[in-house]
Amino acid sequence: LAKTTQPISMDSYEGQEVNITCSHNNIATNDYITWYQQFPSQGPRFIIQGYKTKVTNEVASLFIPADRKSSTLSLPRVSLSDTAVYYCLVVRYNQGGKLIFGQGTELSVKP
Amino acid sequence: EADIYQTPRYLVIGTGKKITLECSQTMGHDKMYWYQQDPGMELHLIHYSYGVNSTEKGDLSSESTVSRIRTEHFPLTLESARPSHTSQYLCASSEYKEGTYEQYFGPGTRLTVT
C-alpha cells in the first residue's frame, strides 16, 4: 500500500477553513484515499473517501488532483470540537478495505 | 451510529495472567479488525478477519491471538500478559456500502499490565 505523508501538526482558529494536505506518491490504480478523525481516548471515525476530483459531504471536502499523488482534506469553519488527529490513508479494495495508519496530523483549534 | 462494543473499557492486571478482550458488533459485518495504539502514536493493525473461521495476522507482530467463531464476535486473547502489552486495543468492523469501505471503531480497551 502507498505510504502517506502529512504534517505532524497544525494550528487554526475558530471559524477558519483548514486544509490538510497528504502526499501519496506511490498510489496505485485501484487505491482510494480515505480520511479518519480521532479524538483522545476514542476510536477513529470515518470522515470522507474519494478516488479523484472532488468529494463533499456534510462534514468535509476532499480534493484529489488528476495525478492522484496528493489529496487535501478541507474542513470549513472549524470549531473547538474539531481539535483531533486526522489520518490520511490509502485503501486498496482487493485487500478487503484493510487500513494502514500513519502518524496523522494533530489539529489544534484555538478560540 | 455504529453498534460495536468492547469490554472491558479499562483493565489493570498482573503479569502472567490470561486475559480476553471482547469485541462484538450487531451490524452483520463480515470484516473485523484489531488495532493496538500507544498514547500519542498511530494505530497498528495486529489481527483481522474476513469472516467466520478466517483470521490473519496484521502488520504489527503481536503475541495475542484471535478467533472468529461467530460473525458478530471477535475476541482477542493474551495467554500471559506482560508489561509490554500495556496499550489501548481498538476493535473495528467494516462493510462495502455505496462505493465506500468504511470502518466502524469500538470505544477501545485500555490495558495496563503491572
Side-chain angles (χ1 to χ4, degrees), chain B residues 41-100:
Chain B
M41 305 297 288
E42 65 263 40
L43 289 81
H44 293 285
L45 180 67
I46 52 175
H47 298 283
Y48 60 99
S49 167
Y50 288 164
V52 171
N53 294 325
S54 154
T55 61
E56 301 286 344
K57 289 190 178 295
D59 301 294
L60 179 68
S61 176
S62 173
E63 294 169 343
S64 59
T65 59
V66 292
S67 63
R68 189 86 184 276
I69 299 173
R70 303 197 315 267
T71 298
E72 62 272 21
H73 196 213
F74 191 39
L76 180 146
T77 298
L78 277 166
E79 290 292 333
S80 179
R82 294 207 298 268
S84 61
H85 297 140
T86 294
S87 188
Q88 171 151 282
Y89 293 85
L90 290 156
C91 179
S93 69
S94 75
E95 67 171 357
Y96 183 79
K97 179 181 174 185
E98 297 177 357
T100 297

Side-chain angles (χ1 to χ4, degrees), chain A residues 37-45 87, chain B residues 1 9 37 43 88 90 105-108 110:
Chain A
Q37 173 193 56
Q38 186 179 26
F39 297 112
S41 301
Q42 294 185 25
R45 184 182 70 156
Y87 294 98
Chain B
E1 199 67 28
R9 291 292 314 277
Q37 184 178 33
L43 289 81
Q88 171 151 282
L90 290 156
F105 283 80
R110 186 165 296 281

Side-chain angles (χ1 to χ4, degrees), chain B residues 7 11 14 16 18 20 25-26 33-34 38 46-47 53 55 70 75-76 80-81 94 100 102-103 112 114:
Chain B
T7 57
L11 179 62
K18 177 180 179 179
T20 296
Q25 49 98 1
T26 58
Y33 314 82
W34 275 103
D38 293 328
I46 52 175
H47 298 283
N53 294 325
T55 61
R70 303 197 315 267
L76 180 146
S80 179
S94 75
T100 297
E102 180 176 341
Q103 285 199 15
T112 302
T114 60

